[in-house]
Amino acid sequence: MTMGNARDLKDRLLEAFNAHDLDRVLQCHSRDGVLVTPEGVAEGHDQIASFYEEVFKGFPDLRMTVWHTVFCADPAVTEWMLTGTHDGPLVLPSGGVLDGTGRPVAVRGTSTCSVGNDKIITHRIYYDQLELYSQLGGELAFGDRSSSAGEGRPSRG
């Protein structure tokens, strides 16, 4: 695939994502493509569709704005900002579900796509989950592993 065609494919994926058009999103991916996200790995169209369906339900107005594109043949790389409102269910890392909070989010991230035969074969999405969850009202907690007043810290020296 030439660099121009890879860029065209990424542009089609962005348009489909922003339109929340699952059919067009899947047309960009190979049938046995792999999607890697902070939430886990999705393999094949069924699992990739499930991932995007959950995202679109949780954030019905979610949009991606690309602010930087790296022009190289493979992988194609973009940096972006996701913005939207959390109005639907969101599956949490614990397996629980956070009902819509009505809170707006703005999350920075990057993604890389490896392509073959005019389709995405591997799509890796990277973003800071803590950035997202803190905007939704979550807090970082260490449970029983935290110490008070520095107890249990290794000494410096």
Side-chain angles (χ1 to χ4, degrees):
M1 173 175 264
T2 67
M3 190 173 2
N5 289 342
R7 181 82 268 136
D8 292 343
L9 179 61
K10 287 280 286 182
D11 289 345
R12 286 195 316 266
L13 178 61
L14 175 66
E15 289 172 12
F17 179 88
N18 283 339
H20 293 210
D21 187 331
L22 187 57
D23 289 333
R24 285 178 36 215
V25 166
L26 292 176
Q27 288 172 15
C28 294
H29 290 82
S30 131
R31 295 221 39 91
D32 58 351
V34 177
L35 174 65
V36 180
T37 73
E39 291 81 16
V41 177
E43 298 182 34
H45 272 195
D46 290 344
Q47 290 181 14
I48 292 170
S50 180
F51 170 81
Y52 282 106
E53 285 173 339
E54 286 183 23
V55 169
F56 295 156
K57 281 183 196 170
F59 299 88
D61 63 345
L62 191 64
R63 288 197 46 82
M64 179 182 289
T65 303
V66 173
W67 74 52
H68 182 68
T69 300
V70 177
F71 288 99
C72 58
D74 194 272
V77 179
T78 54
E79 291 180 294
W80 39 259
M81 174 75 75
L82 283 178
T83 56
T85 309
H86 177 230
D87 283 334
L90 175 67
V91 177
L92 299 171
S94 65
V97 175
L98 178 64
D99 292 328
T101 62
R103 291 177 178 226
V105 298
V107 178
R108 298 160 294 151
T110 189
S111 59
T112 66
C113 288
S114 294
V115 296
N117 296 324
D118 293 330
K119 300 285 183 185
I120 295 168
I121 53 175
T122 305
H123 188 184
R124 292 179 179 88
I125 298 173
Y126 302 96
Y127 69 90
D128 184 345
Q129 284 181 297
L130 184 56
E131 183 178 31
L132 172 63
Y133 296 139
S134 63
Q135 291 178 38
L136 297 176
E139 296 178 1
L140 182 61
F142 291 98
D144 294 339
R145 291 178 294 206
S146 65
S147 62
S148 61
E151 291 177 24
R153 281 192 196 163
S155 62
R156 293 185 187 175

